[in-house]
Amino acid sequence: MDLSIYIGGKKLVNPVGVASGTFGYGSEYEKLVDFTGLGALYTKTVTLKSRSGNKCPRIIETPSGMLNSIGLANVGVDRFISEKLPLLEQAGCALIPNIAGFTEYEYAAILKRLEASHLPWGYEINISCPNVSHGGFTFGTNPAMVEHLTAKLRRITEKPLIIKLTPNVTDIRGIAQAAENGGADAVSCINTLVGMVIDTKTKKPVLGNITGGLSGPAIRPVGVASVYRVKRAVTIPVIGLGGIMTADDAIQYFLAGASAIQIGTGNFVDPGIPQKVLAGIKDYCEHEGMKTIGDFHQFIE
Amino acid sequence: MDLSIYIGGKKLVNPVGVASGTFGYGSEYEKLVDFTGLGALYTKTVTLKSRSGNKCPRIIETPSGMLNSIGLANVGVDRFISEKLPLLEQAGCALIPNIAGFTEYEYAAILKRLEASHLPWGYEINISCPNVSHGGFTFGTNPAMVEHLTAKLRRITEKPLIIKLTPNVTDIRGIAQAAENGGADAVSCINTLVGMVIDTKTKKPVLGNITGGLSGPAIRPVGVASVYRVKRAVTIPVIGLGGIMTADDAIQYFLAGASAIQIGTGNFVDPGIPQKVLAGIKDYCEHEGMKTIGDFHQFIE
Amino acid sequence: MKQIQAKVTGNNQIAKDYYKLVFSWEPPPDTGPGDSYPDFPNPQPGQFITIRVSETTVPLLRRPFAFSGYNAETGEASIIYLKRGKGTEILAGKCPGEYIDIIGPLGNYLKKPENKQKPVLVAGGIGLGPLLYFSSMLDQWQIPHLFIFGARTARYVPDMNSLKNVAICTDDGSKGFAGTVADFLNNFEEKELEHTMLYCCGPLPMLKACHGFATEYDLECYVVMEQIMACGVGACMGCTIKLKKPQGYARVCTEGPVFKSRDIAWT
Amino acid sequence: MKQIQAKVTGNNQIAKDYYKLVFSWEPPPDTGPGDSYPDFPNPQPGQFITIRVSETTVPLLRRPFAFSGYNAETGEASIIYLKRGKGTEILAGKCPGEYIDIIGPLGNYLKKPENKQKPVLVAGGIGLGPLLYFSSMLDQWQIPHLFIFGARTARYVPDMNSLKNVAICTDDGSKGFAGTVADFLNNFEEKELEHTMLYCCGPLPMLKACHGFATEYDLECYVVMEQIMACGVGACMGCTIKLKKPQGYARVCTEGPVFKSRDIAWT
Ligand SMILES: Cc1cc2nc3c(=O)[nH]c(=O)nc-3n(C[C@H](O)[C@H](O)[C@H](O)COP(=O)(O)OP(=O)(O)OC[C@H]3O[C@@H](n4cnc5c(N)ncnc54)[C@H](O)[C@@H]3O)c2cc1C
Ligand SMILES: Cc1cc2nc3c(=O)[nH]c(=O)nc-3n(C[C@H](O)[C@H](O)[C@H](O)COP(=O)(O)OP(=O)(O)OC[C@H]3O[C@@H](n4cnc5c(N)ncnc54)[C@H](O)[C@@H]3O)c2cc1C
Ligand SMILES: Cc1cc2nc3c(=O)[nH]c(=O)nc-3n(C[C@H](O)[C@H](O)[C@H](O)COP(=O)(O)O)c2cc1C
Ligand SMILES: Cc1cc2nc3c(=O)[nH]c(=O)nc-3n(C[C@H](O)[C@H](O)[C@H](O)COP(=O)(O)O)c2cc1C
Ligand code: FES
Ligand code: FES
């Protein structure tokens, strides 16, 4: 059994990653998680300038899920490179910075600065954050913009380029195809769904930002369906996420067509989940006679 | 306190309805539910011809939700009028047939036949079923088609015309505005989200139809956010649904801007929910000094 | 069909992972004397209830279970269930004195056989409950019958001493006949099978095998079917199975759960 | 900071809706002698743990609770919690001998006051736990202090006999001083307040009032803040509160939960 996978010609030792925004810059979980067991660590989205994020509160639990409206709070790309990346030098797993800009120029500028470091294994491009409403962030809903942006970033880096898709669109396949046409090495889906909770005591939205992004087991069926559809629209690998808590959940994504998966909200519930999921995937492969992740893709037409 | 509401100039005695597809043609729940407590009964979607529906299984539970791929199984409009509607003659609540066609012509044909009966209080137009993939059902994702269809149906009936929106679009507000421009008296949102569950034992999708529609508490934050956004884009009343199980859930929808609500999946969990929700809304209004449903709309800008 | 708060009067393990829940529709103590508390129509064998096992949203949907017995005098009914997932795990934790939200009786039922007919009841796994109840009715009607029960291994076989004429089959031969219930059926001589009628409840492969057997010897055969359910009352069209044309799809909760095996479009 | 399976050694009601959970980080029985079981760093007052209360997805997120005590010799720690929702309801059902999944100790803590400072501890409702623990540390350091506890009514006041110098306030006057803790504070003479330092934990309006009082008399004032949390370890940026410029937002789980009241942008 060999659970390694390739994205853009580069190898990930196993298909289990931790999702952007749920694992900070990595160091926060250092004391709880053995990073060498992780296939990839996707960092919190980095923007060109530092951002303090949205108004509080930023989090609320929902049935089998949660809403967040963090608003891409982060230290900005320069401090990310000088302060955060070095902490991960010894992490022993693939580091995949996740980046977002408000304009194409910003995306490109961030990527150029990161290219100066040897630490990133590749990049995940966030074109889909529902918690920031400014212009640039509608990128993810417009195929032409996605293709143009991807092509621009493709010219900057030879490292794997992963475009992260939003489910808040009429046709996610069109966006995925645009990413592929632009030269992406993979797409990851899904980011969060737009949601809202109102406190009936105060009669106000709970989140300072009014709406937030829904994640967790509640959205897993949406994630699996998205991967299933996207996989049938593109030839590049698909990275699946949304509500994965157990190996069984991850295997659903593989069967739907994912080549790798990420765990997001699950890290909050139990930081041991990535390791447990990887162990469970191995057991399943052994039991079912699967030799590679590719073997999962033959069962559903 | 007066909880009645008006849609298209016609009165509903209270704002609590039961959602299309979750209450059959009404008669199925006769022995369990006192219909006179219901504000409105939205029937299972009726199509021009009878439909036997999708392959089995059609249902699977998900975290705090469920997927269904019923595929609009129904007796067709003629038998609906001759066999089903008469059973509800004495129901004592507003009957709102929900209809769907594969073409504009079909929608119009169904509506014309229903107009011959005095029993419908108004109509809900399903332009958003995710479980039927044929042409006509992409209506709900295209504003121009929605406006045109609504305008056509508007010319056929003077009774309240409610357009039911899908959340599976990039911008639900545009669809809602199209419905308003076409002459709709209200919009209801949301229908189900596209989702999928895979059985890792059989390595096949659980649902015979592969994907299905996600409903229940899991999607409530998406429903509340949709109502909030739609309400700020149109002037006609908005009917909110998605995951309502308790009065608190319903009140979130009212505060978000809904004038009425529907209970769908909740009926399966406990057929007593509509009545409990109505009682809870009354308690809340009394406690908070609300006199009408309109009073709920002042709190969130 | 009623929705009631039923009082748990017993909930005991009867074999590995199998439990028997006994309940009565005594009103909860806070039901005032003035409040009319619904009478439960006498449940018939094959009929079922749905239970709301949890007040939270996980698990969300009600869970269906067939009656395994009913005592009209005490007003007590029972189900036999397999602890297999979230819902039945919670159910196994219910204690006597607690109340459970049930809707029932639901569905059609196993009918009294005509004169001359010789009923053979074939149960596998969770199919035990409804056929135990049917067997007790046959006893009441004084209709002799054979009860065949199949399980994987001895640990899954509950005490069956109440049955007069029972054959136990285990896949591994650890108790009774070694083999499946279908293997057991195939040991019958053709002439023994005259007037035999099959009533079957259990896993799908077993039902299929029974149907095949019945077809081969041209026996009447009733099967109690299962399908995942949402409403349980015929409203959602979710629990359908495929029948042979021209009937098309049928709802297990309403047209079933009992079907003639030859009406089903077996796949 | 460690993640461990802690053994519940006690879980008793101490006032209406208030419970005290005692646990130790004894390894579960299936931890082999070879397996190294993590040592828990000594928790400090103000620090907290997060508990995964359920294996299902409702409730989903871990729940944070402050240490209300720690006994280094027995290795037992405790929390005091209010049963208010789904999570704490499940917690209240945990029995001695069960294991709970906890992560901790988390956050910063209440520091030993300097010489001359006269600590006054002000607790309201669920703010009791961390200040009880701090009070026991002050006793250990032999620093005399006043403990003020506020509750709505007498039923919500647990036994406080372990405290040397305690003032109980109830909104309705059913026990102790009639009024809020802020009312109580306002009864102090200005000169009594020299070198007084406030340590406050409780509902937001109480903390604001304490901050106002501290500002008026120019007292040092520490507050233990709360915010809804997801990760509890500083990774998600979810639990922020607003500080005065230039600090901007601070994470309650990492930069807090203890803040200088004058650093907070009270709204
Ligand atoms: C008419 C009818 C009568 C039944 N009678 C009995 C009975 O007498 N005794 C008994 O033990 N079981 C009976 N079942 C099956 C029983 O409903 C399921 O075992 C139960 O719902 C599982 O719930 P769970 O939450 O423990 O399992 P889950 O965690 O939900 O699932 C475990 C397994 O059970 C299957 N399952 C879940 N829901 C259903 C459902 N509604 N119908 C069928 N399979 C399901 C799932 O597909 C899965 O394979 C009956 C089902 C039907 C439809
Ligand atoms: C650092 C910290 C220390 C805490 N220490 C204690 C303690 O020692 N004793 C104690 O009783 N409580 C403490 N709390 C609050 C405790 O976390 C909540 O009461 C608990 O999470 C409620 O869970 P529930 O599922 O029962 O309630 P829910 O049903 O989730 O909600 C009930 C109410 O609790 C609020 N709430 C939910 N989650 C949180 C949260 N994470 N933080 C704050 N409020 C929340 C909700 O907004 C709601 O108003 C602390 C919170 C924090 C952040
Ligand atoms: C608190 C929180 C913060 C997040 N921040 C980011 C982010 O900065 N960038 C990003 O691309 N996705 C972000 N996400 C989305 C997750 O990476 C993931 O796509 C989503 O949560 C679905 O996966 P899950 O259900 O496993 O959490 C965030 C999610 C959560 C819950
Ligand atoms: C089993 C099932 C069948 C449904 N059938 C229909 C239908 O025929 N027409 C329709 O407009 N909506 C249908 N719906 C969608 C519901 O009316 C409702 O929009 C959706 O379920 C969200 O509400 P809920 O979360 O309260 O269930 C169906 C939903 C379910 C669960
Ligand atoms: S379960 Fe709804 S129709 Fe049978
Ligand atoms: S709870 Fe995640 S940063 Fe504090």
Side-chain angles (χ1 to χ4, degrees):
Chain A
M1 181 184 7
D2 175 9
L3 293 187
S4 66
I5 57 150
Y6 287 83
I7 291 176
K10 259 182 110 173
K11 179 170 166 169
L12 290 175
V13 290
N14 76 56
V16 179
V18 286
S20 178
T22 66
F23 216 73
Y25 302 112
S27 48
E28 294 82 357
Y29 274 111
E30 223 164 27
K31 292 186 188 135
L32 298 175
V33 180
D34 176 11
F35 287 9
T36 58
L38 295 177
L41 191 163
Y42 301 77
T43 69
K44 173 81 193 156
T45 292
V46 193
T47 52
L48 191 57
K49 305 248 168 66
S50 76
R51 290 174 53 85
S52 57
N54 286 328
K55 274 191 248 166
C56 314
R58 296 173 173 182
I59 277 177
I60 181 74
E61 190 170 300
T62 68
S64 297
M66 63 177 283
L67 283 180
N68 87 79
S69 62
I70 309 296
L72 302 186
N74 81 96
V75 297
V77 67
D78 291 330
R79 280 181 60 199
F80 176 74
I81 293 172
S82 62
E83 294 172 22
K84 303 295 179 183
L85 264 184
L87 294 177
L88 293 169
E89 173 116 43
Q90 314 295 339
C93 68
L95 301 180
I96 307 185
N98 173 302
I99 70 170
F102 289 87
T103 59
E104 273 199 2
Y105 163 78
E106 281 193 11
Y107 277 102
I110 301 164
L111 195 58
K112 278 182 196 150
R113 296 193 201 180
L114 286 167
E115 276 288 278
S117 165
H118 67 288
L119 290 171
W121 177 92
Y123 308 100
E124 186 177 52
I125 314 301
N126 180 0
I127 53 167
S128 53
C129 181
N131 294 322
V132 182
S133 48
H134 307 257
F137 288 85
T138 54
F139 273 111
T141 63
N142 182 322
M145 284 170 79
V146 170
E147 182 168 342
H148 198 265
L149 173 66
T150 310
K152 181 165 191 144
L153 301 180
R154 179 74 292 168
R155 288 192 291 274
I156 297 170
T157 184
E158 296 193 335
K159 290 186 180 170
L161 201 55
I162 303 162
I163 308 292
K164 184 163 180 182
L165 308 177
T166 171
N168 301 300
V169 293
T170 306
D171 186 8
I172 196 171
R173 288 167 298 196
I175 313 287
Q177 285 164 342
E180 177 168 35
N181 292 341
D185 296 305
V187 289
S188 47
C189 55
I190 55 178
N191 211 317
T192 54
L193 290 158
V194 177
M196 177 172 181
V197 171
I198 296 172
D199 183 333
T200 57
K201 289 206 195 74
T202 63
K203 305 188 187 70
K204 297 283 171 210
V206 170
L207 298 180
N209 192 44
I210 302 181
T211 61
L214 184 63
S215 65
I219 69 164
R220 191 196 311 136
V222 178
V224 173
S226 300
V227 167
Y228 170 81
R229 291 176 152 196
V230 165
K231 178 67 187 173
R232 276 143 195 85
V234 299
T235 61
I236 51 178
V238 180
I239 301 168
L241 72 159
I244 298 177
M245 305 282 287
T246 66
D248 191 81
D249 302 341
I251 291 161
Q252 287 195 46
Y253 275 95
F254 293 136
L255 289 166
S259 299
I261 56 108
Q262 298 176 25
I263 287 152
T265 303
N267 295 311
F268 304 152
V269 177
D270 174 6
I273 284 181
Q275 261 152 314
K276 290 176 194 163
V277 165
L278 181 61
I281 294 169
K282 285 182 179 158
D283 287 350
Y284 184 88
C285 288
E286 210 148 278
H287 190 260
E288 303 287 326
M290 307 261 199
K291 302 248 175 306
T292 68
I293 296 297
D295 286 354
F296 283 91
H297 298 164
Q298 61 186 299
F299 295 100
I300 301 177
E301 104 298 355
Chain B
M1 183 185 4
D2 176 8
L3 294 187
S4 65
I5 58 152
Y6 286 83
I7 292 176
K10 259 182 109 171
K11 178 169 168 171
L12 290 175
V13 291
N14 75 56
V16 179
V18 287
S20 177
T22 66
F23 217 73
Y25 301 113
S27 48
E28 293 83 356
Y29 274 111
E30 223 164 27
K31 292 187 186 133
L32 297 176
V33 180
D34 176 11
F35 288 8
T36 58
L38 295 177
L41 190 164
Y42 300 78
T43 70
K44 174 81 193 154
T45 291
V46 193
T47 53
L48 191 56
K49 306 249 167 66
S50 76
R51 291 174 52 86
S52 57
N54 286 327
K55 275 192 249 167
C56 314
R58 296 174 173 181
I59 276 176
I60 180 73
E61 190 169 301
T62 69
S64 298
M66 65 177 282
L67 283 180
N68 87 79
S69 63
I70 309 297
L72 301 185
N74 81 96
V75 297
V77 66
D78 291 330
R79 279 182 60 200
F80 176 76
I81 293 171
S82 62
E83 295 172 20
K84 303 297 179 182
L85 264 183
L87 294 177
L88 293 169
E89 172 116 43
Q90 315 294 338
C93 67
L95 302 180
I96 307 187
N98 173 301
I99 72 170
F102 289 87
T103 59
E104 273 201 1
Y105 163 78
E106 281 193 13
Y107 276 103
I110 301 165
L111 197 57
K112 279 182 194 149
R113 296 193 202 183
L114 286 167
E115 276 288 279
S117 165
H118 67 286
L119 289 172
W121 177 92
Y123 308 99
E124 186 177 51
I125 314 301
N126 180 0
I127 53 166
S128 54
C129 180
N131 293 322
V132 182
S133 48
H134 307 257
F137 287 87
T138 54
F139 272 112
T141 63
N142 182 321
M145 284 171 79
V146 170
E147 181 167 344
H148 197 262
L149 173 66
T150 309
K152 181 166 192 143
L153 301 181
R154 177 76 292 168
R155 288 191 292 274
I156 298 170
T157 184
E158 297 191 335
K159 289 185 181 171
L161 200 56
I162 303 161
I163 307 292
K164 184 164 180 182
L165 307 177
T166 171
N168 301 300
V169 294
T170 306
D171 185 8
I172 196 170
R173 288 166 296 196
I175 313 288
Q177 284 164 342
E180 177 166 35
N181 292 340
D185 296 305
V187 289
S188 47
C189 56
I190 55 177
N191 210 317
T192 55
L193 289 157
V194 177
M196 176 172 181
V197 171
I198 296 173
D199 184 333
T200 58
K201 288 204 197 76
T202 64
K203 306 189 185 68
K204 297 283 170 210
V206 170
L207 298 179
N209 192 46
I210 301 181
T211 60
L214 184 63
S215 64
I219 69 164
R220 191 195 312 135
V222 178
V224 174
S226 299
V227 166
Y228 169 80
R229 292 176 153 196
V230 165
K231 178 66 189 175
R232 278 142 194 85
V234 299
T235 61
I236 50 178
V238 180
I239 301 167
L241 73 158
I244 298 177
M245 304 281 289
T246 67
D248 191 80
D249 302 340
I251 291 161
Q252 287 195 46
Y253 275 96
F254 293 136
L255 289 167
S259 299
I261 56 105
Q262 298 176 24
I263 287 152
T265 302
N267 295 310
F268 305 152
V269 177
D270 173 6
I273 284 181
Q275 260 152 316
K276 290 176 194 163
V277 165
L278 180 60
I281 295 169
K282 285 181 180 157
D283 286 350
Y284 184 89
C285 288
E286 209 149 278
H287 190 261
E288 303 287 326
M290 307 261 197
K291 302 248 174 311
T292 68
I293 296 296
D295 285 353
F296 282 89
H297 298 164
Q298 62 187 297
F299 294 100
I300 301 178
E301 105 296 358
Chain C
M1 172 198 325
K2 303 272 182 191
Q3 178 175 16
I4 59 168
Q5 300 299 315
K7 184 176 183 173
V8 175
T9 57
N11 193 13
N12 298 313
Q13 196 165 352
I14 58 169
K16 181 168 160 52
D17 298 337
Y18 282 85
Y19 293 75
K20 181 174 177 174
L21 179 86
V22 190
F23 53 96
S24 72
W25 30 96
E26 206 179 294
D30 53 0
T31 315
D35 300 354
S36 76
Y37 200 71
D39 258 0
F40 223 63
N42 278 5
Q44 302 294 325
Q47 287 193 304
F48 63 98
I49 54 171
T50 60
I51 307 183
R52 181 176 186 186
V53 289
S54 160
E55 289 287 308
T56 78
T57 58
V58 173
L60 183 67
L61 297 172
R62 306 176 76 87
R63 299 295 195 245
F65 300 95
F67 286 98
S68 62
Y70 174 63
N71 183 328
E73 276 152 44
T74 62
E76 275 187 335
S78 64
I79 60 171
I80 289 174
Y81 64 97
L82 170 67
K83 191 165 87 174
R84 70 182 340 181
K86 306 170 294 297
T88 45
E89 187 135 337
I90 295 174
L91 206 55
K94 301 280 178 197
C95 298
E98 284 186 67
Y99 284 84
I100 49 174
D101 172 352
I102 73 177
I103 294 179
L106 299 165
N108 69 356
Y109 53 91
L110 294 160
K111 303 223 166 59
K112 185 174 172 178
E114 322 246 300
N115 293 337
K116 283 213 298 195
Q117 287 179 324
K118 296 192 300 180
V120 172
L121 282 49
V122 188
I126 61 169
L128 180 62
L131 292 188
L132 274 184
Y133 185 18
F134 190 50
S135 170
S136 75
M137 296 294 288
L138 290 171
D139 283 347
Q140 226 169 286
W141 295 320
Q142 301 189 313
I143 301 174
H145 59 281
L146 170 63
F147 197 108
I148 309 174
F149 178 68
R152 257 185 294 155
T153 182
R155 279 179 304 160
Y156 294 100
V157 181
D159 173 30
M160 303 209 140
N161 288 334
S162 68
L163 296 172
K164 298 210 173 76
N165 187 12
V166 63
I168 290 167
C169 312
T170 53
D171 295 355
D172 64 358
S174 55
K175 182 155 190 174
F177 175 83
T180 66
V181 296
D183 298 334
F184 185 87
L185 285 173
N186 280 315
N187 282 342
F188 279 99
E189 302 279 316
E190 178 144 12
K191 63 176 169 12
E192 294 178 86
L193 292 170
E194 216 190 339
H195 298 303
T196 290
M197 246 187 105
L198 297 182
Y199 297 87
C200 316
C201 188
L204 202 59
M206 184 201 100
L207 297 182
K208 267 190 224 175
C210 291
H211 167 67
F213 180 82
T215 311
E216 193 177 334
Y217 295 99
D218 198 24
L219 309 178
E220 236 186 300
C221 175
Y222 287 91
V223 288
V224 187
M225 299 296 286
E226 267 189 35
Q227 183 59 283
I228 304 182
M229 294 184 173
C231 72
V233 302
C236 74
M237 305 286 157
C239 66
T240 50
I241 57 167
K242 196 150 192 183
L243 298 189
K244 289 196 188 126
K245 308 227 168 246
Q247 299 103 318
Y249 292 106
R251 295 166 295 186
V252 170
C253 73
T254 307
E255 283 81 49
V258 179
F259 294 90
K260 283 195 177 134
S261 84
R262 65 164 179 270
D263 286 346
I264 290 173
W266 299 97
T267 46
Chain D
M1 170 198 325
K2 303 273 182 190
Q3 179 176 17
I4 59 168
Q5 301 299 315
K7 184 175 182 172
V8 175
T9 57
N11 193 12
N12 298 313
Q13 195 165 352
I14 57 169
K16 181 167 159 53
D17 297 337
Y18 281 86
Y19 292 75
K20 179 173 178 175
L21 179 86
V22 190
F23 54 95
S24 72
W25 31 97
E26 205 180 296
D30 53 359
T31 314
D35 300 356
S36 75
Y37 200 73
D39 258 2
F40 223 65
N42 278 4
Q44 302 293 326
Q47 287 193 302
F48 63 98
I49 55 172
T50 59
I51 307 182
R52 182 176 185 187
V53 290
S54 160
E55 289 287 307
T56 79
T57 58
V58 173
L60 183 67
L61 297 172
R62 306 176 76 87
R63 299 296 196 241
F65 300 96
F67 286 97
S68 62
Y70 174 61
N71 182 327
E73 276 152 47
T74 62
E76 276 188 334
S78 63
I79 60 172
I80 290 174
Y81 64 96
L82 169 67
K83 190 165 88 175
R84 69 182 342 181
K86 305 170 295 296
T88 45
E89 187 136 336
I90 294 174
L91 206 55
K94 301 281 179 197
C95 297
E98 284 186 68
Y99 285 83
I100 48 174
D101 173 351
I102 72 177
I103 294 179
L106 299 166
N108 69 356
Y109 53 91
L110 294 161
K111 303 224 166 57
K112 185 175 172 176
E114 323 244 301
N115 295 335
K116 285 214 302 200
Q117 289 180 324
K118 296 193 301 183
V120 172
L121 281 51
V122 188
I126 62 169
L128 180 62
L131 293 188
L132 274 185
Y133 185 18
F134 190 51
S135 169
S136 75
M137 296 295 288
L138 291 172
D139 284 347
Q140 227 169 283
W141 295 319
Q142 301 189 312
I143 301 174
H145 58 280
L146 170 65
F147 197 109
I148 309 174
F149 178 69
R152 256 185 295 154
T153 182
R155 278 178 306 159
Y156 293 101
V157 181
D159 173 28
M160 302 210 141
N161 287 336
S162 67
L163 297 172
K164 299 211 173 75
N165 187 10
V166 62
I168 290 167
C169 313
T170 52
D171 295 355
D172 64 357
S174 54
K175 182 154 188 172
F177 175 83
T180 66
V181 294
D183 298 335
F184 185 87
L185 284 174
N186 280 315
N187 283 341
F188 279 98
E189 301 280 317
E190 177 144 13
K191 64 176 163 28
E192 294 179 86
L193 293 171
E194 217 189 339
H195 298 302
T196 290
M197 249 185 103
L198 297 182
Y199 297 87
C200 317
C201 188
L204 201 60
M206 184 201 101
L207 296 182
K208 266 191 224 173
C210 291
H211 167 66
F213 180 81
T215 311
E216 192 176 335
Y217 295 99
D218 198 24
L219 309 179
E220 235 185 302
C221 176
Y222 287 91
V223 288
V224 187
M225 299 295 287
E226 266 189 37
Q227 183 58 284
I228 304 183
M229 292 185 176
C231 72
V233 302
C236 74
M237 305 285 158
C239 66
T240 49
I241 56 166
K242 196 148 194 185
L243 297 189
K244 288 195 188 125
K245 309 230 168 245
Q247 300 106 315
Y249 292 106
R251 294 167 296 186
V252 170
C253 72
T254 306
E255 283 81 49
V258 179
F259 294 90
K260 283 196 176 135
S261 84
R262 66 165 179 269
D263 287 345
I264 289 173
W266 299 99
T267 45

